[in-house]
C-alpha cells in the first residue's frame, strides 16, 4: 500500500509460457487448474517470458532481467534453509528501460534432472522456473513449477518373495508374492498359506504403507502413511488353506521408491499383512517392495538413459537382480512395528515389552 501511495507500486506483470512440443503431457490433462508439464531427465526446458506493463503510458526501469531453473529440496521443519541441488541462470536483458510489452525467449538445453518431483509429509522436492526483474528498491519475481518424472527399466528377472512367519507352536503361515519390484500401474499377486493354526483368527487384511524418512543419524524421523487397505479373509482359517491376494496399484497416488535422495530423505513402500484374533489382538508382518515408474512406448529413448540409483535397492542400481527371498521369521504381536526391514524405525514406539505377555496369553487361550 505504501509503495502504491508513493508511486512505487509494481508497474509490470510477468508471465512464463512453456513450450509444449508434440506429445508433451500435463500432470492432469482433465484438470484446468493444474497446468504443470511433465519433463524427464535430459529434456530441454524452453519457453518465453512476457513482461506486461500495467499501463500503456508507463515505463519500466530495471537493472536486468534473468530466468533461473532451480531444483530444490525443502524440509518443512527447516523452512528457512532450502537446499538447491540444481541451479542454472540465463540473462534475458541488460539494465535499461522498457516502454512497451516485451517477450524474451529462453532455453535450458538438455537439463539434468536427477530426482523425481515429490511432495510428502515432511519434505518437498520441486523444480521451478524463476524470472526476476531486478530493480533498485524491489524486484518483480514470478515462479512456475514443473513436474519431473524419473523413468526406470528392469531386466526380465524379477524374483518372487517367499517368507514363512509365525508364533512358535501357535501360528505358522507362509506368504508368497509374485515379484519384489512393481511398476506404478502393476498388479500385486500373491497367496497366503496356513501351515499351523492354533489361534482363533477372525479376519486378515493387507495394506500398502508408505514410509517417508527424513534427516540422518539421531535426527532421523519416520512418517508412515497407509495408502490402501484390503480385507482378504473373513472367518477362521484351517490348516492347509490358502488365501489369494490381488492388489491393483493403478488407482493410487504412488511414487517410485526413493533411497537416500541427495542424502536428505527416502521413500519406501511395504506390504503389511495383519491378522486379528477373536480377542481383537493384532499380529502383522511387513515386507518391503520396490516401486518404479515404467516409461511409455514413445519414451523408449529416455528409458535407456542412466537410471538414478536412488530409485532402487541393491548395490547395482536398477539393473541389479536380487536373490530369491525365502526366510523364516516371527510375526509381530499387536502394537509393535516390524523393524526387520528398516534400520531407522527407532523413532516409533513399539510396545516390545508386552511381547512375552501377549505370547503367554495366547498360549493360555489356545490351551483352553
Amino acid at each position: 500500500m505504501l509503495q502504491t501511495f508513493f508511486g512505487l507500486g509494481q508497474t509490470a506483470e510477468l508471465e512464463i509460457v512453456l513450450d509444449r512440443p508434440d506429445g508433451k503431457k500435463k500432470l492432469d490433462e482433465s484438470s484446468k487448474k493444474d497446468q504443470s508439464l511433465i519433463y524427464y531427465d535430459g529434456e530441454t526446458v524452453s519457453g518465453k517470458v512476457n513482461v506486461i506493463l500495467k499501463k500503456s503510458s508507463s515505463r519500466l526501469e530495471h537493472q536486468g532481467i534473468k530466468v533461473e531453473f532451480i531444483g530444490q529440496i525443502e524440509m518443512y521443519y527447516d523452512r528457512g534453509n532450502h537446499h538447491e541441488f540444481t541451479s542454472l541462470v540465463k540473462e534475458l536483458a541488460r539494465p535499461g528501460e522498457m516502454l512497451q510489452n516485451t517477450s524474451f525467449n529462453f532455453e535450458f538445453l538438455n537439463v539434468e534432472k536427477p530426482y523425481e518431483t515429490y511432495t510428502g509429509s515432511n519434505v518437498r522436492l520441486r523444480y521451478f522456473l524463476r524470472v526476476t526483474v531486478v530493480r533498485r528498491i524491489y524486484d518483480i519475481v514470478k515462479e512456475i513449477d514443473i513436474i519431473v518424472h524419473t523413468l526406470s527399466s528392469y531386466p526380465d528377472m524379477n524374483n518372487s518373495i517367499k517368507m514363512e512367519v509365525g508364533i512358535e507352536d501357535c501360528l505358522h503361515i507362509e506368504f508368497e508374492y509374485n515379484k519384489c519390484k512393481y511398476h506404478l500401474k502393476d498388479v500385486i499377486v500373491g497367496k497366503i498359506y496356513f501351515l499351523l493354526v492354533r489361534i482363533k483368527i477372525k479376519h486378515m487384511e493387507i495394506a500398502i504403507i508408505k514410509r517417508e524418512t527424513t534427516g540422518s543419524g539421531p535426527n532421523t524421523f519416520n512418517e508412515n502413511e497407509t495408502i490402501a487397505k484390503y480385507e482378504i479373509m473373513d472367518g477362521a482359517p484351517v490348516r492347509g488353506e490358502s488365501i489369494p491376494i490381488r492388489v491393483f496399484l493403478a488407482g493410487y497416488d504412488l511414487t517410485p521408491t526413493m533411497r537416500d535422495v541427495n542424502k536428505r530423505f527416502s521413500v519406501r513402500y511395504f506390504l503389511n499383512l495383519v491378522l486379528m484374533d477373536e480377542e481383537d489382538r493384532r499380529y502383522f508382518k511387513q515386507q518391503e517392495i520396490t516401486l518404479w515408474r515404467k516409461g511409455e512406448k514413445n519414451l523408449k529413448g529416455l528409458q535407456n538413459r542412466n537410471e538414478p540409483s536412488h530409485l532402487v535397492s541393491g548395490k547395482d542400481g536398477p539393473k541389479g537382480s536380487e536373490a530369491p527371498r525365502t526366510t523364516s521369521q516371527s510375526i509381530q504381536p499387536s502394537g509393535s512395528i516390524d523393524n526387520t526391514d528398516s534400520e531407522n524405525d527407532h523413532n516409533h514406539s513399539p510396545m516390545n515389552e508386552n511381547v512375552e505377555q501377549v505370547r503367554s496369553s495366547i498360549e493360555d487361550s489356545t490351551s483352553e
Side-chain angles (χ1 to χ4, degrees):
M1 292 295 291
L2 289 175
Q3 288 179 345
T4 303
F5 181 78
F6 288 106
L8 299 175
Q10 185 169 303
T11 58
E13 292 183 347
L14 300 178
E15 181 184 36
I16 304 174
V17 181
L18 293 172
D19 293 336
R20 188 179 181 184
D22 293 340
K24 174 64 66 180
K25 289 189 174 183
K26 295 181 181 178
L27 182 62
D28 188 354
E29 293 286 354
S30 62
S31 173
K32 294 183 179 179
K33 293 182 180 179
D34 197 341
Q35 300 296 315
S36 300
L37 293 178
I38 298 176
Y39 289 86
Y40 300 91
D41 183 25
E43 280 193 326
T44 296
V45 179
S46 61
K48 65 179 179 179
V49 175
N50 297 326
V51 182
I52 305 170
L53 301 181
K54 287 191 172 182
K55 296 181 181 180
S56 58
S57 59
S58 62
R59 64 179 184 176
L60 176 65
E61 294 183 359
H62 61 86
Q63 304 301 312
I65 303 174
K66 63 180 179 180
V67 58
E68 301 170 85
F69 178 87
I70 297 174
Q72 180 176 274
I73 297 176
E74 304 173 5
M75 297 292 185
Y76 294 159
Y77 57 80
D78 190 16
R79 291 184 179 272
N81 187 18
H82 299 158
H83 174 71
E84 293 184 0
F85 56 86
T86 297
S87 182
L88 303 172
V89 182
K90 297 278 187 180
E91 297 292 337
L92 299 180
R94 295 182 179 180
E97 185 177 78
M98 194 174 296
L99 302 176
Q100 59 184 1
N101 298 343
T102 308
S103 296
F104 301 94
N105 295 321
F106 68 87
E107 182 181 54
F108 293 98
L109 191 62
N110 300 330
V111 184
E112 182 181 354
K113 311 174 200 70
Y115 309 119
E116 173 137 345
T117 302
Y118 175 75
T119 300
S121 302
N122 299 299
V123 62
R124 178 168 72 153
L125 190 151
R126 61 188 289 241
Y127 295 86
F128 61 97
L129 291 163
R130 177 195 292 153
V131 177
T132 305
V133 178
V134 182
R135 305 195 70 190
R136 290 182 179 178
I137 300 177
Y138 65 93
D139 295 339
I140 304 175
V141 180
K142 174 73 174 181
E143 292 182 358
I144 182 174
D145 281 75
I146 68 169
I147 304 300
V148 172
H149 284 175
T150 306
L151 304 179
S152 298
S153 59
Y154 286 88
D156 295 335
M157 182 178 295
N158 194 352
N159 298 309
S160 62
I161 300 173
K162 292 182 180 180
M163 185 174 291
E164 183 180 337
V165 299
I167 301 172
E168 188 174 359
D169 298 328
C170 297
L171 176 68
H172 285 173
I173 62 175
E174 181 182 270
F175 62 82
E176 178 179 358
Y177 302 118
N178 61 329
K179 293 185 288 188
C180 59
K181 301 170 184 176
Y182 299 88
H183 62 77
L184 300 184
K185 306 298 182 182
D186 215 336
V187 180
I188 298 174
V189 179
K191 281 188 178 181
I192 307 292
Y193 301 95
F194 288 89
L195 306 178
L196 175 65
V197 184
R198 292 181 180 174
I199 298 176
K200 295 179 180 179
I201 297 175
K202 184 166 59 177
H203 78 268
M204 179 168 59
E205 62 187 25
I206 189 171
I208 302 173
I209 294 179
K210 180 177 79 170
R211 181 170 301 161
E212 177 186 289
T213 304
T214 54
S216 60
N219 298 320
T220 300
F221 181 76
N222 294 299
E223 184 77 23
N224 284 348
E225 178 185 353
T226 300
I227 303 297
K229 185 184 293 185
Y230 293 93
E231 184 177 73
I232 57 177
M233 185 193 72
D234 186 15
V238 297
R239 180 179 177 181
E241 191 168 4
S242 64
I243 307 296
I245 296 174
R246 187 175 293 269
V247 180
F248 294 85
L249 300 179
Y252 301 103
D253 185 17
L254 301 170
T255 69
T257 296
M258 305 179 186
R259 300 185 185 278
D260 200 21
V261 176
N262 208 247
K263 299 182 179 180
R264 302 282 170 166
F265 71 95
S266 298
V267 179
R268 302 162 68 190
Y269 290 89
F270 297 83
L271 293 177
N272 193 34
L273 186 66
V274 182
L275 293 85
M276 181 178 292
D277 64 16
E278 291 185 346
E279 298 181 12
D280 291 335
R281 285 188 293 248
R282 297 167 67 89
Y283 315 93
F284 60 90
K285 175 63 184 175
Q286 289 186 354
Q287 175 62 48
E288 183 174 5
I289 59 173
T290 298
L291 299 185
W292 54 285
R293 187 179 298 282
K294 184 179 181 181
E296 299 179 9
K297 292 181 179 179
N298 60 342
L299 294 171
K300 285 185 177 180
L302 287 171
Q303 273 189 276
N304 294 328
R305 299 181 63 87
N306 294 326
E307 296 87 353
S309 60
H310 71 275
L311 289 174
V312 294
S313 60
K315 295 181 180 179
D316 297 328
K319 305 221 172 152
S321 59
E322 298 181 8
R325 303 183 181 185
T326 305
T327 58
S328 179
Q329 300 182 14
S330 298
I331 199 167
Q332 300 294 318
S334 64
S336 63
I337 299 294
D338 181 6
N339 293 328
T340 58
D341 297 304
S342 176
E343 299 176 356
N344 298 322
D345 292 342
H346 57 270
N347 289 331
H348 291 288
S349 299
M351 295 183 288
N352 292 328
E353 63 272 11
N354 295 328
V355 170
E356 295 300 327
Q357 182 179 352
V358 171
R359 287 193 178 187
S360 62
S361 63
I362 293 171
E363 292 172 359
D364 293 340
S365 64
T366 53
S367 62
E368 293 175 2

